[in-house]
Amino acid sequence: MKRIVIFASGNGTNAQRIIDHFKGSTDAQVVQVLSNNKNAKVLERANKSKISAFSFNRTAFYDTDDVLHLLKTVTPDIIVLAGFLWLFPEKIITMFPDKIINIHPALLPDFGGKGMYGKHVHEAVYAFAKANKGKKTYTGITIHKVTPEYDKGACIFQAKVEVTQEDTPEMIAQKVHQLEHKHFPEVIEDLLFDTK
Ligand code: GAR
């Protein structure tokens, strides 16, 4: 049985999709959900699905080895960042080489880096599309390996969708979420079982 750990900071609709995708599977399961935000809805979602879920603070993540130790105990086959907003510490990346992946709500290397998360990304894409009037504009999703820098690791998967002049940032967000929900669980499965 392959073991999936999810890190998320907020709502957790992607985490939910991943949990649901592997529910009942005898090959892979989400075994742990972790959040930097004790009020994150993702923790509730995990509890409802009877998945172990904890929140942690900066000290446990960056200064002590508390989160690292927990991960060592959980022995994940893959660590999935699904809307996780803190920079991942190098010590954890070193401990799980090539096993940590992130989803970014745009087509990296565009619209990535520090401060580029959630609605900030979609607002930037919206402004770009408005300025780019007359030319086709795309946004999308990037699933990539995690390195100690924001949004810099090797790309694993991208999918794109057109941004029209009528789209608002909220509509762009919705289109991107749809792509995420469709592809993220499958990409995780492919990585776990090396089917590509
Ligand atoms: C997702 O769109 C994800 O790509 C984004 O946060 C959202 C979380 O949504 N991640 C980043 O912006 C990271 N830079 P969710 O909580 O509904 O899954």
Side-chain angles (χ1 to χ4, degrees), residues 81-84 100-104 142-146 151 184:
L81 314 193
F84 182 66
I100 313 176
I101 65 167
N102 178 48
I103 192 160
H104 185 77
T142 304
I143 298 168
H144 65 94
K145 297 242 167 88
V146 170
D151 304 328
F184 204 12

Side-chain angles (χ1 to χ4, degrees), residues 4-8 10-20 23 29-35 37-55:
I4 304 164
V5 171
I6 297 177
F7 280 76
N11 188 347
T13 64
N14 277 286
Q16 186 74 61
R17 286 292 171 137
I18 298 163
I19 290 167
D20 292 346
K23 202 187 234 162
Q29 283 290 305
V30 176
V31 293
Q32 182 74 61
V33 170
L34 294 167
S35 183
N37 172 4
K38 64 179 182 349
N39 299 316
K41 182 155 182 206
V42 72
L43 295 171
E44 250 174 66
R45 293 179 185 273
N47 286 331
K48 269 197 191 138
S49 293
K50 308 219 175 342
I51 293 167
S52 169
F54 300 115
S55 64

